[in-house]
Amino acid sequence: MASFLVDGENFATPNRLPVLPLRDVVVFPYVAMPLLVGRAASLAALDAASGADNLVLLVAQRDPETQEPASADLYRVGVVARVRQLSRLGTGTVKVLVEGIARARVTRYVPSAECLRAVVEPMSPLTLDADADAEAHLRRAVTLFEEYVAVHRRLPPELVSLIQSSDSPARQSFGIAAHLGTRLERRQGLLEAPNFAALLRTLGETLTSEIDLLKLERKIDDDVRGSLFQNQREFYLQEQLKAIHRELGGEDGDDTDELSTLLESKGLPEPVLARARRELRRLRRLSAMSPESGVARTYLDWIAALPWTERTDDVLDVAHARQVLDEDHYGLDDVKERVLDYIGVLALVERLDGPILCLVGPPGVGKTSLGRSIARALGRKFVRMSLGGVRDEAEIRGHRRTYIGAMPGRVIQAMRRAETVNPVILLDEIDKLGNDYRGDPSAALLEVLDPEQNRAFNDHYLEADYDLSQVLFITTANSLATIPEPLRDRMEIIRLAGYLDQEKYAIARQFLAPRQLRLHGIDPATVSLDADVIPAIVHGYTREAGVRDLERRLARLARKLARRRAERRTALGTVATEPEVDTVTHAMLQGMLGVAPFDPEANQLEDKVGVATGLAYTSVGGDVLEIEVSVVPGRGRLQLTGTLGDVMKESASAALSYARARASALGLEREFLRTRDLHVHIPAGATPKDGPSAGIAIASAIVSALTGIPLRGSVAMTGEITLRGRVLGIGGLKEKTVAALRNRITHVILPQENARDLDELPPEVRAGIQFHPVRSMDEVLAIALARNVMPRDDDETATMVAH
């Protein structure tokens, strides 16, 4: 028998006690603890304890994972405990309530048939010394335990009162040790303390360490709770949504991994890739319900959707390109030659920065459709971007992401639609750009259309450089007057004059008429147009430089034919088995298109006094205008009407000054203005007109009105006049001469400076018009007036302006 001293009384136990191994648990004396027992050896130990006055030795395992511990797996110090209550559960597990009695040291373990037993000896009892240090250590331990319970979330406050009410220091110390959540080795060390002083010292150190850890845990927990408080509901809903996605289709609803894979495979430049990775990390930290999450996701979607390395292979066959361009457009040789030159160079150097072409010409000459044909000839993607009415600089460069609903500019959007780095982008109506307090979009285009800068185009939304150097930019405009000079300097200007009559005939027969017939459900092979039908439509129903109105007239003709066929089929009550053939004659045009709004014979080209024929260049092409001058009694006043601009008014004043200076040579009185007023009118009055090129025409009309000599009706003229009678150069010669030929003008007077431009005129114009380059106004009058008014022997002829 072994004898233990418990609370001053001897307590006898058998020498060999059944051993109940404990996993990750240390039971202390004077402490009751419930245990769940399920291993066979442990159940056998409980059965053996029933025959030993319900006493059992509780010993902790060194390794909690050991299922069948041997003597080497157990500690040598344990607790003799009494089984107070035992109940068997339905699962084969036993729930037992044990109460620690005293510490015991194992001298040796003795295996037996039913269970493991141990020979024990009592350990020296723990008593409080009479010195003040021991009492202070105990009080410190109780105080620290009180603080420990206060910061511990799972220990009730009543536990402190229970410990303080214990009647012995040993009960207090072991009660405190039993409630510490420290690791197994530390708790076993408290149980094996050699004396009371060592127990209190170890207990104080353990409590201090645990209190610090609990405070740190509480601080971290409070910080986490504070940061999650605002997004707790959103996070909970997000987790629920993920669970729903997993149940429905095996997806968790989070595709950031797919987005990351896509970004890594795009071949992004290193700065852009670094920026995308940073945004992706930020996106993963944000809640899906956060507004910032949507902004970051949209930004990454744009980065992933843009082409960075994807390109189409150029078709570098010059013959193929020429065939494609000729199939889609008739004429326009200047543009076609420039595109073919570009393809030829590209075939040799393999990479060439895209040129910036600007197609300038009147409406309806095929500028926009030409851009699509160029893309088809090169085998590239085509994107059209309309600039008409754009007033905000952010439309070009995008909005910064700080704004709600920010988006990239139109250039980046066009690249996303193109899906390649080398498309053909058509900037349509670049001359219609506006500007206001939101900025000047034409200034933003300077970077886009500069081959030296657009390789690093920086959009405000992307905030990263994007390479536009491989893009072939084509811009279109009706007039260069409204394009700022810096922007015009960056583009290669190619002028498209209006079509000649013969070109319109060819375009109508080869392209417009077949297309409109097919659009209206008619086979072009079943319609026959007489040879004079197309010329009659061109001259009687259109007045334009392009062919847009001509196509509308042909569309109306196709509608009439389709209606006629539908009515015939309805009358017959059946569908014709043989193809119907309709013939359209000149006599049928009035019934199908209505009365012709224009009379081709209206311009009789008669010789008239005081009426000169001038040539003008407008945004819709060249035009012919009449300049009328009337001389009435008065006091020398010059009246100008017809909505004239300042420059044209100054030209009229200069023309009148020339006539006054040359009065004697022209056979006029020197003071002819004293009793006469001059009225200069240029129809149509509602159309604004300006420019210096009508100077010689105004001067000729004034001289004709003053002298009474008619001007030749078949002569048209263009040129700027000076006070000394010199004739200066003008622009838009090609458009003006095409308009002259269209109006059956046979003679054109032009400045000598423009004589070098005659070789660039279409062959039909050079063949149908006789050109008269002049240097002075005297030469103009010699050609334009029906009879010569300048006497050869006049003394003032010596004062003529030198040629």
Side-chain angles (χ1 to χ4, degrees), residues 634-699:
R635 297 182 179 180
R637 188 167 64 95
L638 175 64
Q639 184 179 0
L640 303 172
T641 57
T643 318
L644 308 184
D646 292 338
V647 177
M648 186 168 282
K649 291 178 180 178
E650 293 171 358
S651 296
S653 298
L656 179 58
S657 297
Y658 164 79
R660 295 178 64 185
R662 302 289 292 157
S664 298
L666 296 174
L668 301 174
E669 301 175 4
R670 288 186 178 274
E671 302 297 333
F672 66 87
L673 275 181
R674 283 187 176 182
T675 60
R676 300 172 184 171
D677 286 346
L678 292 180
H679 184 178
V680 179
H681 178 69
I682 304 179
T687 304
K689 294 169 280 292
D690 202 1
S693 63
I696 65 173
I698 296 175

Coordinates of all heavy atoms in Angstrom, one line a residue, residues 634-699:
G634 N -25.3 108.8 -110.2 CA -25.1 108.9 -108.8 C -23.9 109.8 -108.5 O -23.5 110.6 -109.4
R635 N -23.2 109.5 -107.4 CA -22.1 110.4 -107.0 C -20.8 109.6 -106.7 O -20.1 109.9 -105.8 CB -22.5 111.2 -105.7 CG -23.7 112.1 -105.9 CD -24.0 112.9 -104.6 NE -25.1 113.8 -104.9 CZ -25.6 114.6 -103.9 NH1 -25.1 114.6 -102.7 NH2 -26.6 115.4 -104.2
G636 N -20.7 108.5 -107.4 CA -19.4 107.8 -107.2 C -19.4 106.7 -106.1 O -18.3 106.3 -105.7
R637 N -20.6 106.2 -105.7 CA -20.6 105.2 -104.7 C -20.5 103.8 -105.3 O -21.1 103.6 -106.3 CB -21.9 105.4 -103.9 CG -22.0 104.5 -102.6 CD -23.2 105.0 -101.8 NE -24.5 104.8 -102.5 CZ -25.2 103.7 -102.4 NH1 -24.8 102.7 -101.5 NH2 -26.4 103.6 -103.0
L638 N -19.8 103.0 -104.6 CA -19.7 101.6 -104.9 C -20.5 100.7 -104.0 O -20.3 100.7 -102.8 CB -18.2 101.1 -104.9 CG -18.0 99.6 -105.2 CD1 -18.4 99.2 -106.6 CD2 -16.5 99.3 -104.9
Q639 N -21.5 100.0 -104.6 CA -22.4 99.2 -103.8 C -22.1 97.7 -104.1 O -22.1 97.3 -105.2 CB -23.9 99.5 -104.0 CG -24.9 98.8 -103.2 CD -26.3 99.1 -103.4 OE1 -26.6 100.0 -104.3 NE2 -27.2 98.5 -102.7
L640 N -22.0 96.9 -103.0 CA -21.7 95.5 -103.2 C -22.7 94.7 -102.5 O -23.0 94.9 -101.3 CB -20.3 95.2 -102.5 CG -19.1 96.0 -103.0 CD1 -17.9 95.7 -102.2 CD2 -18.8 95.6 -104.5
T641 N -23.3 93.7 -103.2 CA -24.4 92.9 -102.7 C -24.1 91.4 -103.1 O -23.3 91.2 -104.0 CB -25.8 93.3 -103.2 OG1 -25.8 93.3 -104.6 CG2 -26.1 94.7 -102.7
G642 N -24.8 90.5 -102.4 CA -24.6 89.1 -102.7 C -24.0 88.3 -101.6 O -23.4 87.3 -101.8
T643 N -24.0 88.9 -100.3 CA -23.4 88.2 -99.1 C -21.9 88.0 -99.3 O -21.5 86.9 -99.4 CB -24.2 86.9 -98.8 OG1 -25.6 87.1 -98.9 CG2 -23.8 86.5 -97.4
L644 N -21.2 89.1 -99.6 CA -19.8 89.0 -99.8 C -19.0 89.1 -98.6 O -19.3 89.9 -97.6 CB -19.4 90.1 -100.8 CG -20.2 90.2 -102.1 CD1 -19.6 91.3 -103.0 CD2 -20.3 88.9 -102.8
G645 N -17.9 88.4 -98.5 CA -17.0 88.5 -97.4 C -16.0 89.7 -97.5 O -16.0 90.4 -98.6
D646 N -15.3 90.0 -96.5 CA -14.4 91.2 -96.5 C -13.3 91.1 -97.6 O -13.0 92.1 -98.2 CB -13.7 91.3 -95.1 CG -14.7 91.7 -94.0 OD1 -15.7 92.2 -94.4 OD2 -14.4 91.4 -92.8
V647 N -12.8 89.9 -97.8 CA -11.7 89.8 -98.8 C -12.3 90.1 -100.2 O -11.7 90.7 -101.0 CB -11.1 88.4 -98.8 CG1 -10.1 88.2 -99.9 CG2 -10.5 88.1 -97.4
M648 N -13.5 89.6 -100.5 CA -14.1 89.8 -101.8 C -14.4 91.3 -102.0 O -14.3 91.9 -103.1 CB -15.3 88.9 -102.0 CG -15.9 89.0 -103.4 SD -17.1 87.7 -103.7 CE -16.0 86.3 -104.0
K649 N -14.9 92.0 -100.9 CA -15.2 93.4 -101.0 C -13.9 94.2 -101.3 O -13.9 95.1 -102.1 CB -15.8 93.9 -99.7 CG -17.2 93.3 -99.4 CD -17.7 93.8 -98.1 CE -19.1 93.3 -97.8 NZ -19.6 93.7 -96.5
E650 N -12.8 93.8 -100.7 CA -11.5 94.5 -101.0 C -11.1 94.2 -102.4 O -10.5 95.1 -103.0 CB -10.5 93.9 -100.0 CG -10.7 94.4 -98.5 CD -9.8 93.7 -97.6 OE1 -8.9 92.9 -98.1 OE2 -9.8 94.0 -96.4
S651 N -11.4 93.0 -102.9 CA -11.1 92.8 -104.3 C -11.9 93.7 -105.3 O -11.3 94.2 -106.3 CB -11.3 91.3 -104.7 OG -10.5 90.4 -103.9
A652 N -13.1 93.9 -104.9 CA -14.0 94.8 -105.7 C -13.4 96.3 -105.7 O -13.4 97.0 -106.7 CB -15.4 94.8 -105.2
S653 N -13.0 96.7 -104.5 CA -12.4 98.0 -104.4 C -11.1 98.1 -105.2 O -10.8 99.2 -105.9 CB -12.1 98.3 -102.9 OG -13.3 98.3 -102.2
A654 N -10.3 97.1 -105.1 CA -9.0 97.1 -105.9 C -9.3 97.1 -107.4 O -8.6 97.8 -108.2 CB -8.2 95.9 -105.6
A655 N -10.4 96.4 -107.9 CA -10.8 96.4 -109.3 C -11.2 97.8 -109.7 O -10.9 98.2 -110.8 CB -11.8 95.3 -109.5
L656 N -12.0 98.5 -108.9 CA -12.5 99.8 -109.2 C -11.3 100.8 -109.3 O -11.2 101.6 -110.2 CB -13.5 100.3 -108.2 CG -14.1 101.7 -108.5 CD1 -14.7 101.8 -109.8 CD2 -15.1 102.0 -107.4
S657 N -10.3 100.7 -108.4 CA -9.2 101.5 -108.4 C -8.3 101.3 -109.7 O -7.8 102.3 -110.3 CB -8.3 101.3 -107.2 OG -9.0 101.6 -106.0
Y658 N -8.3 100.0 -110.1 CA -7.6 99.8 -111.4 C -8.3 100.5 -112.5 O -7.6 101.1 -113.4 CB -7.5 98.3 -111.6 CG -7.1 97.9 -113.0 CD1 -5.8 98.0 -113.5 CD2 -8.1 97.5 -114.0 CE1 -5.5 97.7 -114.8 CE2 -7.8 97.2 -115.3 CZ -6.5 97.3 -115.7 OH -6.2 97.0 -117.0
A659 N -9.6 100.4 -112.6 CA -10.4 101.0 -113.7 C -10.2 102.5 -113.7 O -10.0 103.1 -114.7 CB -11.8 100.6 -113.6
R660 N -10.1 103.1 -112.5 CA -9.9 104.6 -112.5 C -8.5 105.0 -112.9 O -8.3 106.0 -113.6 CB -10.2 105.1 -111.0 CG -11.7 104.9 -110.6 CD -11.9 105.3 -109.2 NE -11.6 106.8 -109.0 CZ -11.6 107.4 -107.9 NH1 -11.9 106.8 -106.7 NH2 -11.4 108.7 -107.8
A661 N -7.6 104.1 -112.5 CA -6.2 104.4 -112.9 C -6.0 104.3 -114.4 O -5.1 105.0 -115.0 CB -5.2 103.5 -112.1
R662 N -6.7 103.4 -115.0 CA -6.6 103.1 -116.5 C -7.7 103.7 -117.3 O -8.0 103.3 -118.4 CB -6.6 101.6 -116.7 CG -5.5 100.9 -115.9 CD -4.1 101.1 -116.5 NE -4.0 100.6 -117.8 CZ -3.1 101.0 -118.8 NH1 -2.3 102.0 -118.5 NH2 -3.1 100.4 -120.0
A663 N -8.3 104.8 -116.7 CA -9.5 105.3 -117.4 C -9.2 105.8 -118.8 O -9.9 105.6 -119.8 CB -10.1 106.5 -116.5
S664 N -8.1 106.6 -119.0 CA -7.8 107.1 -120.3 C -7.5 106.0 -121.3 O -8.0 106.0 -122.4 CB -6.5 108.0 -120.2 OG -6.8 109.1 -119.3
A665 N -6.8 104.9 -120.9 CA -6.5 103.8 -121.8 C -7.7 103.1 -122.1 O -7.8 102.5 -123.2 CB -5.5 102.9 -121.1
L666 N -8.7 103.1 -121.2 CA -10.0 102.4 -121.5 C -11.0 103.3 -122.2 O -12.1 102.8 -122.5 CB -10.6 101.9 -120.1 CG -9.7 100.9 -119.4 CD1 -10.4 100.6 -118.0 CD2 -9.6 99.6 -120.2
G667 N -10.6 104.5 -122.5 CA -11.5 105.4 -123.3 C -12.6 106.0 -122.4 O -13.7 106.3 -122.9
L668 N -12.3 106.1 -121.1 CA -13.3 106.7 -120.1 C -12.8 108.0 -119.7 O -11.7 108.4 -119.8 CB -13.4 105.7 -118.9 CG -13.8 104.3 -119.1 CD1 -13.7 103.5 -117.8 CD2 -15.2 104.2 -119.7
E669 N -13.8 108.8 -119.2 CA -13.5 110.1 -118.6 C -12.7 109.9 -117.4 O -13.0 109.0 -116.6 CB -14.8 110.9 -118.3 CG -15.7 111.2 -119.6 CD -17.0 111.8 -119.2 OE1 -17.1 112.1 -118.0 OE2 -17.8 112.0 -120.1
R670 N -11.8 110.8 -117.1 CA -11.0 110.7 -115.9 C -11.9 110.8 -114.6 O -11.6 110.1 -113.6 CB -9.9 111.7 -115.8 CG -8.8 111.5 -116.8 CD -7.6 112.5 -116.6 NE -6.6 112.2 -117.5 CZ -5.6 111.4 -117.3 NH1 -5.6 110.7 -116.2 NH2 -4.6 111.2 -118.2
E671 N -12.9 111.5 -114.6 CA -13.7 111.7 -113.5 C -15.1 111.1 -113.7 O -16.2 111.7 -113.4 CB -13.9 113.2 -113.2 CG -12.6 114.0 -112.9 CD -11.9 113.5 -111.7 OE1 -12.6 113.0 -110.8 OE2 -10.6 113.6 -111.7
F672 N -15.1 109.9 -114.2 CA -16.3 109.2 -114.6 C -17.2 108.9 -113.4 O -18.4 108.7 -113.4 CB -16.1 108.0 -115.4 CG -15.4 106.9 -114.7 CD1 -16.1 105.9 -113.9 CD2 -14.0 106.7 -114.8 CE1 -15.4 104.9 -113.3 CE2 -13.3 105.7 -114.1 CZ -14.0 104.8 -113.4
L673 N -16.6 108.8 -112.2 CA -17.3 108.4 -111.0 C -18.1 109.6 -110.4 O -18.9 109.4 -109.5 CB -16.4 107.8 -109.9 CG -16.0 106.3 -110.1 CD1 -15.1 105.9 -108.9 CD2 -17.3 105.5 -110.1
R674 N -17.8 110.8 -110.8 CA -18.5 111.9 -110.2 C -20.0 111.9 -110.4 O -20.8 112.3 -109.6 CB -18.0 113.2 -110.8 CG -16.7 113.7 -110.2 CD -16.3 115.0 -110.7 NE -15.0 115.5 -110.1 CZ -14.5 116.7 -110.3 NH1 -15.1 117.6 -111.1 NH2 -13.4 117.0 -109.8
T675 N -20.4 111.3 -111.6 CA -21.9 111.3 -111.9 C -22.4 109.9 -112.0 O -23.5 109.8 -112.5 CB -22.1 112.0 -113.2 OG1 -21.3 111.4 -114.3 CG2 -21.6 113.5 -113.2
R676 N -21.7 108.9 -111.5 CA -22.1 107.5 -111.7 C -21.9 106.8 -110.4 O -20.9 107.0 -109.6 CB -21.4 106.8 -112.8 CG -21.6 107.5 -114.2 CD -20.6 106.8 -115.2 NE -20.7 107.5 -116.5 CZ -19.9 107.2 -117.5 NH1 -18.9 106.3 -117.3 NH2 -20.0 107.8 -118.6
D677 N -22.8 105.8 -110.1 CA -22.6 104.8 -109.0 C -22.5 103.4 -109.7 O -23.1 103.2 -110.8 CB -23.9 104.8 -108.1 CG -23.9 106.0 -107.2 OD1 -22.9 106.7 -107.1 OD2 -25.0 106.2 -106.6
L678 N -21.7 102.6 -109.1 CA -21.5 101.2 -109.5 C -22.1 100.3 -108.5 O -21.9 100.4 -107.3 CB -20.0 100.9 -109.7 CG -19.3 101.6 -110.8 CD1 -17.8 101.2 -110.8 CD2 -19.9 101.3 -112.1
H679 N -22.9 99.3 -109.0 CA -23.5 98.3 -108.2 C -23.0 96.9 -108.6 O -23.2 96.5 -109.8 CB -25.0 98.4 -108.3 CG -25.7 97.4 -107.4 ND1 -27.1 97.3 -107.3 CD2 -25.2 96.5 -106.5 CE1 -27.4 96.4 -106.4 NE2 -26.3 95.8 -105.9
V680 N -22.2 96.3 -107.8 CA -21.7 95.0 -108.1 C -22.5 93.9 -107.3 O -22.6 94.0 -106.1 CB -20.2 94.9 -107.7 CG1 -19.7 93.5 -108.0 CG2 -19.4 95.9 -108.4
H681 N -23.1 92.9 -108.0 CA -23.9 91.9 -107.4 C -23.4 90.5 -107.9 O -23.1 90.3 -109.1 CB -25.4 92.1 -107.8 CG -26.2 91.0 -107.2 ND1 -26.5 90.9 -105.8 CD2 -26.9 90.0 -107.8 CE1 -27.3 89.9 -105.6 NE2 -27.6 89.3 -106.8
I682 N -23.3 89.6 -107.0 CA -22.9 88.2 -107.3 C -23.9 87.3 -106.8 O -24.1 87.1 -105.6 CB -21.5 87.9 -106.7 CG1 -20.4 88.9 -107.1 CG2 -21.1 86.5 -107.0 CD1 -19.1 88.7 -106.5
P683 N -24.8 86.7 -107.7 CA -25.8 85.7 -107.3 C -25.1 84.4 -106.8 O -23.9 84.2 -107.2 CB -26.6 85.5 -108.5 CG -26.2 86.6 -109.5 CD -24.8 87.0 -109.1
A684 N -25.7 83.5 -106.0 CA -27.0 83.8 -105.4 C -26.8 84.6 -104.1 O -25.9 84.4 -103.4 CB -27.7 82.4 -105.1
G685 N -27.8 85.4 -103.9 CA -27.6 86.4 -102.8 C -27.6 85.7 -101.4 O -27.0 86.3 -100.5
A686 N -28.2 84.5 -101.2 CA -28.2 83.9 -99.9 C -27.0 83.1 -99.6 O -26.8 82.6 -98.5 CB -29.5 83.0 -99.8
T687 N -26.1 82.9 -100.6 CA -25.0 82.1 -100.4 C -23.8 82.9 -100.0 O -23.4 83.8 -100.8 CB -24.7 81.2 -101.6 OG1 -25.8 80.5 -102.0 CG2 -23.5 80.3 -101.4
P688 N -23.1 82.7 -98.9 CA -21.9 83.5 -98.5 C -20.8 83.2 -99.5 O -20.6 82.1 -99.9 CB -21.6 83.0 -97.1 CG -22.8 82.4 -96.6 CD -23.5 81.8 -97.8
K689 N -20.1 84.3 -99.8 CA -19.0 84.2 -100.8 C -17.8 85.0 -100.3 O -18.0 86.1 -99.8 CB -19.4 84.6 -102.2 CG -20.5 83.7 -102.8 CD -21.1 84.4 -104.1 CE -22.1 85.4 -103.7 NZ -23.3 84.8 -103.1
D690 N -16.6 84.5 -100.5 CA -15.4 85.2 -100.1 C -14.2 84.7 -100.8 O -14.3 83.6 -101.4 CB -15.2 85.1 -98.5 CG -14.4 86.3 -98.0 OD1 -14.0 87.1 -98.8 OD2 -14.2 86.3 -96.8
G691 N -13.1 85.5 -100.7 CA -11.9 85.0 -101.4 C -11.4 86.0 -102.4 O -12.2 86.8 -103.0
P692 N -10.1 86.0 -102.7 CA -9.6 87.0 -103.7 C -9.6 86.6 -105.1 O -9.3 87.4 -106.0 CB -8.1 87.1 -103.2 CG -7.8 85.8 -102.7 CD -9.1 85.2 -102.1
S693 N -10.0 85.3 -105.4 CA -9.8 84.8 -106.8 C -10.8 85.4 -107.8 O -10.6 85.2 -109.0 CB -9.9 83.3 -106.8 OG -11.2 82.9 -106.4
A694 N -11.8 86.1 -107.3 CA -12.8 86.7 -108.3 C -12.3 88.1 -108.6 O -13.1 88.8 -109.3 CB -14.2 86.8 -107.6
G695 N -11.1 88.5 -108.3 CA -10.7 89.9 -108.5 C -10.7 90.3 -110.0 O -11.3 91.3 -110.4
I696 N -10.1 89.5 -110.9 CA -10.1 89.9 -112.3 C -11.4 89.8 -113.0 O -11.7 90.5 -113.9 CB -9.0 89.0 -113.1 CG1 -9.5 87.5 -113.1 CG2 -7.7 89.1 -112.4 CD1 -8.6 86.7 -114.0
A697 N -12.3 88.9 -112.5 CA -13.7 88.8 -113.0 C -14.5 90.1 -112.6 O -15.2 90.6 -113.5 CB -14.4 87.6 -112.5
I698 N -14.3 90.6 -111.4 CA -15.0 91.8 -111.0 C -14.5 93.0 -111.8 O -15.2 93.8 -112.3 CB -14.8 92.0 -109.5 CG1 -15.5 90.9 -108.7 CG2 -15.4 93.4 -109.1 CD1 -15.2 91.0 -107.2
A699 N -13.1 93.0 -112.0 CA -12.6 94.1 -112.8 C -13.0 94.1 -114.2 O -13.4 95.2 -114.8 CB -11.0 94.1 -112.7

